Amino acid sequence: MYDYIAKISCNGAVLDRLTTQSLSSARDWADDNTMVGDLVVISEVLCGIDGVVDEVEHTMSYYIDE
């Protein structure tokens, strides 16, 4: 089962991140926690029992411009 990780960054620095089991939750969280100029990257990940997160596929990315 895949999880999703949403990362919010600005000027190359990661400001915040969230790991969730729902793509819509990741998108809603990102939209609620960004400011104009931020970059949002959402990816599918596999979370191992040992806590290691492996990125499987880039799902979407977008800049906040309004």
Side-chain angles (χ1 to χ4, degrees):
M1 180 174 173
Y2 294 111
D3 288 341
Y4 295 90
I5 189 165
K7 296 179 188 175
I8 299 171
S9 59
C10 185
N11 296 325
V14 176
L15 303 175
D16 207 355
R17 70 177 64 202
L18 171 78
T19 304
T20 182
Q21 294 181 344
S22 166
L23 178 58
S24 62
S25 294
R27 177 93 192 247
D28 290 343
W29 174 84
D31 290 343
D32 290 342
N33 292 289
T34 54
M35 298 187 314
V36 173
D38 288 348
L39 171 66
V40 176
V41 177
I42 299 176
S43 304
E44 285 183 345
V45 296
L46 289 173
C47 297
I49 294 172
D50 57 357
V52 176
V53 176
D54 293 321
E55 186 172 329
V56 176
E57 184 176 334
H58 173 87
T59 304
M60 69 176 65
S61 59
Y62 53 95
Y63 278 100
I64 305 300
D65 60 1
E66 295 180 9

